[in-house]
Amino acid sequence: MKEKLKIRKFFLVLLIIMVITGCSTNKNAGTTGDEKGVKAKNGGTLVIVRLSDAENLDHHFMNTINAASITHGKVYEGLVGRDKDSQIKPLLAKSWKQVDDKTWEFKLREDVKFHDGTPFNASAVKTNFNRLLDANVNAPRAGVFKMVNEVKIIDDFTVQFILSEPFSPLLSILASHEGGIISPKTIEKFGKNIINEPNGTGPFSFESWTPGQEIVLVKNDQYFGDKAKVDKVVFKIVPEETTRISMIEAGEAHIAEPLSVTMKDTVEASRTMGVYRSEGFGTEYIGFNYENKPFSDVRVRRAISHAVEMDTIIKGVFNNIGKQANSLLGSQVFGYHKGLKAYEYNLNEAKKLLAEAGYPNGFETTLLTMDAKERINLAEVLQSHLKTIGIDVKIQVMENGAFVEQRNNGDTQMFISSWRNATGDADYNQYNLFHTASKGAAGNTFFYSNKEVDGLIEAARKEEDQEKRQELYETAQELEMEDAVYIPVRVIENLAAISNKVEGFRISAAGYLELNDVSIK
């Protein structure tokens, strides 16, 4: 009986693969023979199937691009944004100027309303930043704006950001999801509690959220800018990747993300879908909890860094998708250290360092990862690599939301994670990931602390000369590598499976889904 079930299961899997791959070799995300010449039109419902749900829908509390992708640029917007080339552009502010090194002035649009009908104005901006910076609210994203002393209302449509010290990357932070402006009425309703009914100014408004199942946005017909082309967007939570891909094949969904490298070839062989690819700002890495033994010993961290053979990981786990990283900054990010050297593969040095640290026979540890296929594959390869130096690794796989919570709480020894870098500026990476003040949910889940690194990061924030800022960031990255806080893996490449019926979809370098130009054939 068991053998019959196995045979049936085998033929079912074979049938799914045959249906997906079809008889076509077309690998473009453009059109198939069936779609050729068919023009995309406005309207309809765009269905996006995703690996995991958002942890919340409040930009002041969001710690992941996964969550921010649902609302940033769709429900919430900031004073400034980024264009397709990642350059800063006006958004809710029509212009700005630096009055002096601590004062930035923004002239606001006068034709904007929130989804609830509340007018957008200077008071709304002040209300947002008052909430974000309120110690009683305890918002984890407050740290990125800690230099803001006051948002001063000059008139109904002019505000000034009064800083405690010069802060060069202010615009880059305002363009990220932390700078999203929430309706004052919603802030009044929720106060210091997390907002799970987002209310902004964007091209889409919030309709519903069924946790663990789906989030629904609808077109904002009153939007002041170019209106969305689809009527509705449904983000469905579908943990199993083969199911996500099958839903596109069956016409039940239009976009599946993220796409694992293991499914890339299957999608490319399909006649009804293609692969979307773009290089991102972010990187994937293996992190150590700096405060938990034995990883509080730099010799242990260096030993493990020497024991990982990264070439085989890039080829075997990631199929050469995403180039090998040498830092936690992607190569397109300002402040990236091109000449930084990661630890070379050297088992003899690894064993020597472990012995010096008091672990000549290795030790047992736990490696935490989220439930994405390539992350699990990476964990298994790491398990194999570290076994060669006597370290017995137990792999703990968790759903993304639970993984983020446990990682943020510091209940880790080693973990596999990523940092998308929402701004394209090194400050977003360096301050959040490595500064002592950012320990925990703000981003420093290494629980790392180095006063010299803190000083370099703080100096770079104040420095207006971009060449000097670059030098400061390079020195900080060198010290972080010397401390072996992490093992860089690869520069992230955004991958998604996209139906040939979809036009205009892209993923920004920061990792946000860009849907305003999407239309469906």
Side-chain angles (χ1 to χ4, degrees):
M1 186 67 180
K2 288 183 178 179
E3 290 301 318
K4 287 183 179 180
L5 288 173
K6 288 181 179 177
I7 292 171
R8 288 177 183 173
K9 185 175 182 180
F10 169 78
F11 281 108
L12 179 60
V13 171
L14 183 63
L15 180 61
I16 291 173
I17 293 172
M18 290 174 65
V19 169
I20 289 177
T21 57
C23 58
S24 171
T25 59
N26 175 27
K27 296 182 179 176
N28 297 317
T31 60
T32 65
D34 295 337
E35 299 296 332
K36 200 171 183 178
V38 178
K39 292 183 177 180
K41 58 184 179 180
N42 291 353
T45 298
L46 178 71
V47 178
I48 301 174
V49 283
R50 313 189 79 207
L51 169 67
S52 53
D53 204 354
E55 70 268 21
N56 66 71
L57 300 177
D58 187 331
H59 278 204
H60 296 166
F61 284 80
M62 279 181 186
N63 289 309
T64 66
I65 298 294
N66 176 65
S69 277
I70 292 172
T71 51
H72 181 61
K74 304 162 199 64
V75 178
Y76 297 129
E77 296 175 306
L79 299 181
V80 296
R82 288 188 181 272
D83 62 20
K84 293 179 180 180
D85 297 319
S86 298
Q87 299 302 305
I88 299 291
K89 67 174 183 179
L91 199 50
L92 295 180
K94 57 186 179 182
S95 66
W96 60 86
K97 65 180 180 180
Q98 207 170 344
V99 178
D100 55 48
D101 62 355
K102 296 182 184 179
T103 307
W104 294 67
E105 184 172 283
F106 295 84
K107 294 288 186 181
L108 309 180
R109 295 185 66 109
E110 301 178 18
D111 58 348
V112 180
K113 288 187 177 181
F114 290 96
H115 299 145
D116 60 9
T118 303
F120 166 76
N121 53 28
S123 177
V125 176
K126 183 176 178 64
T127 297
N128 269 262
F129 284 90
N130 283 354
R131 175 184 188 253
L132 176 59
L133 298 172
D134 186 344
N136 292 322
V137 174
N138 197 29
R141 306 316 302 153
V144 299
F145 285 112
K146 65 178 292 186
M147 77 301 299
V148 177
N149 265 352
E150 178 189 6
V151 174
K152 184 179 180 181
I153 297 175
I154 305 303
D155 59 42
D156 285 349
F157 296 99
T158 307
V159 294
Q160 287 185 348
F161 280 65
I162 313 298
L163 311 183
S164 58
E165 58 191 23
F167 183 66
S168 293
L170 180 65
L171 292 178
S172 71
I173 299 290
L174 288 171
S176 70
H177 64 270
E178 290 95 340
I181 304 298
I182 305 166
S183 169
K185 284 187 178 179
T186 298
I187 289 175
E188 182 180 357
K189 176 181 177 180
F190 287 90
K192 62 182 180 181
N193 297 319
I194 292 177
I195 295 168
N196 285 323
E197 296 174 15
N199 187 340
T201 60
F204 292 95
S205 59
F206 172 78
E207 182 175 279
S208 64
W209 181 19
T210 306
Q213 296 183 38
E214 68 177 29
I215 296 171
V216 181
L217 308 180
V218 294
K219 178 180 179 179
N220 174 17
D221 288 320
Q222 306 305 314
Y223 184 58
F224 64 89
D226 294 334
K227 293 176 176 57
K229 295 179 180 179
V230 296
D231 295 327
K232 182 178 288 191
V233 180
V234 179
F235 297 92
K236 288 184 176 292
I237 313 307
V238 182
E240 176 55 48
E241 184 172 37
T242 54
T243 304
R244 296 198 297 270
I245 300 304
S246 296
M247 288 176 71
I248 296 181
E249 189 71 30
E252 298 172 6
H254 301 98
I255 296 166
E257 65 88 26
L259 176 67
S260 71
V261 296
T262 57
M263 286 295 289
K264 172 181 165 290
D265 291 345
T266 299
V267 173
E268 285 184 328
S270 170
R271 60 176 295 178
T272 61
M273 69 185 100
V275 175
Y276 173 89
R277 296 178 65 172
S278 65
E279 185 176 326
F281 288 148
T283 57
E284 281 181 300
Y285 59 90
I286 302 152
F288 304 107
N289 189 318
Y290 201 75
E291 294 183 338
N292 287 346
K293 292 183 178 181
F295 301 102
S296 53
D297 190 322
V298 68
R299 293 169 296 185
V300 171
R301 301 194 300 271
R302 288 174 180 167
I304 292 174
S305 299
H306 278 303
V308 178
E309 211 293 285
M310 200 56 67
D311 284 343
T312 61
I313 287 173
I314 298 300
K315 293 173 185 175
V317 175
F318 296 106
N319 195 23
N320 288 319
I321 295 174
K323 59 190 176 186
Q324 186 172 330
N326 67 332
S327 165
L328 289 202
L329 289 173
S331 57
Q332 296 185 57
V333 177
F334 172 79
Y336 167 69
H337 190 339
K338 185 177 181 180
L340 188 67
K341 301 294 184 184
Y343 288 83
E344 63 179 0
Y345 179 60
N346 188 328
L347 289 180
N348 289 332
E349 183 66 17
K351 291 175 182 177
K352 176 186 173 185
L353 286 165
L354 273 185
E356 289 177 1
Y359 301 97
N361 300 316
F363 53 84
E364 294 182 357
T365 190
T366 299
L367 174 65
L368 181 68
T369 182
M370 63 175 285
D371 56 350
K373 284 186 178 180
E374 57 261 36
R375 295 277 180 90
I376 296 171
N377 291 345
L378 173 57
E380 290 172 347
V381 172
L382 287 171
Q383 184 182 52
S384 175
H385 284 184
L386 297 187
K387 189 174 183 180
T388 62
I389 60 171
I391 297 178
D392 183 15
V393 177
K394 177 186 176 183
I395 298 170
Q396 183 179 7
V397 180
M398 303 186 76
E399 178 274 329
N400 184 56
F403 165 80
V404 169
E405 183 177 1
Q406 185 162 324
R407 182 200 61 189
N408 291 352
N409 289 339
D411 186 15
T412 55
Q413 292 181 309
M414 293 176 62
F415 56 93
I416 300 171
S417 194
S418 63
W419 186 262
R420 287 277 183 170
N421 196 315
T423 68
D425 189 283
D427 178 76
Y428 194 85
N429 170 289
Q430 291 291 293
Y431 191 87
N432 285 288
L433 289 178
F434 299 105
H435 197 281
T436 302
S438 299
K439 283 184 180 182
N444 182 356
T445 53
F446 311 115
F447 291 84
Y448 174 66
S449 181
N450 181 318
K451 289 183 179 179
E452 188 176 355
V453 170
D454 288 351
L456 289 163
I457 294 169
E458 290 163 7
R461 296 187 125 192
K462 300 173 186 177
E463 182 58 62
E464 293 184 17
D465 185 305
Q466 296 303 295
E467 289 186 9
K468 291 181 180 178
R469 285 189 78 216
Q470 176 73 31
E471 292 173 2
L472 290 164
Y473 286 131
E474 288 186 0
T475 303
Q477 289 169 77
E478 289 168 3
L479 290 172
E480 292 151 12
M481 186 62 70
E482 186 178 323
D483 284 339
V485 187
Y486 64 91
I487 303 172
V489 178
R490 65 166 186 149
V491 177
I492 292 173
E493 199 170 304
N494 300 311
L495 287 182
I498 177 171
S499 165
N500 293 332
K501 294 180 180 293
V502 171
E503 285 187 353
F505 171 76
R506 68 185 183 90
I507 303 176
S508 73
Y512 299 122
L513 306 183
E514 303 290 348
L515 306 180
N516 209 32
D517 294 328
V518 170
S519 55
I520 305 170
K521 296 175 184 176

